[in-house]
Amino acid sequence: MAQRLDPATRDALVERVRFYRDLGLTEFYRRPVDAARLAAWAAAAELTAQSEQAASEPDSQPLQITHASNLVEEAIPTRKPISAPPATGIAARPADPAAALVLIREEIGDCTRCALHKGRNKLVFGDGSPVARLMFVGEGPGADEDAQGLPFVGKAGQLLNNMIAAMGLKREEVYIANVVKCRPPGNRTPEPDEANTCTPFLFKQIDAVRPQVLVALGATAATYLLGQRQPLAGLRGRVHPYRGMQLIVTYHPAYLLRDPRQKKEAWADLQIAMRELGLRKGAVSS
Ligand code: SF4
């Protein structure tokens, strides 16, 4: 008999099961799984099937995505100039990466350097391990992130958490930041002058953490990390040498929520990251 779950655990497990199934993953476990957890997974799988059956009913409501709703997985359309990242500066990781991040946050302060400060509630600096081997870079805060001051905490964040878990990692083991630290109005794509003003802080964060692998989530992150506009299709599926690190480009989780058919492509990209990190293919942390 399936174990009774509290609603939050049930929703998280349903999302996790759905995500793994979309990736084509079935049952790979890195750690032994006890009977109670197996029962919970079975219940989640059952709920996933039930919710998808309900979603196929004609009167079902479409999925509402509140974060990055304007995000398009193409090159940034404007022809305004994009600043290139620091050309060299392959510095060694600072002796105290956590202290370096604190200094960068202090330097940003109550920032008014670009127009995005006018609409923000909370500045979203970054989150995760200062000594992470893997770092994700997204576009900018959405409504949930703006309210909480943390990156990727809404629906797209839940999907990113599942992507991280599918890699056999925990969210607290990676570092997550965005191209801009304040929410663009209506979740629009940041303007080049906004992104160019904010990215020096992102580059400092990258230099503080010095991850082995950087994953650019979506076209905006890829554009400003690489300093060039290119369609996402031409950037995915390979490793870009990046200032002494490995850069991999994949879809933004908000885009994957809109078009779940691309999850397998995203998983292929993440497997490249796993290979670079020496992580076991197909290992799923329960
Ligand atoms: Fe400052 Fe960046 Fe916020 Fe603009 S987006 S106000 S540069 S922290």
Side-chain angles (χ1 to χ4, degrees), residues 47 74 85 100 142 248:
L47 283 163
E74 295 172 353
I248 289 146

Side-chain angles (χ1 to χ4, degrees), residues 108-118 120 123 179-183 194 197-199 201:
I108 295 173
D110 192 16
C111 187
T112 57
R113 293 171 178 87
C114 86
L116 293 182
H117 80 277
K118 294 176 188 166
R120 77 163 175 246
L123 189 149
V179 168
V180 292
K181 305 195 183 309
C182 302
R183 183 190 181 199
E194 296 159 350
T197 304
C198 205
T199 46
F201 298 118

Side-chain angles (χ1 to χ4, degrees), residues 1-6 9 34-44 47:
M1 180 184 292
Q3 177 181 308
R4 188 176 290 277
L5 301 169
D6 68 82
T9 305
D34 61 29
R37 182 166 284 275
L38 275 177
W41 278 90
L47 283 163

Side-chain angles (χ1 to χ4, degrees), residues 24-25 27 32 39-40 46-47 82 85 91 113 117 140 151 163 167 181 185 189 199 216 230 265 284:
L25 288 170
E27 291 187 45
E46 192 179 315
L47 283 163
I82 303 284
R113 293 171 178 87
H117 80 277
M163 292 162 72
M167 299 174 79
K181 305 195 183 309
T189 302
T199 46
Q230 273 191 49
E265 298 295 318
V284 174

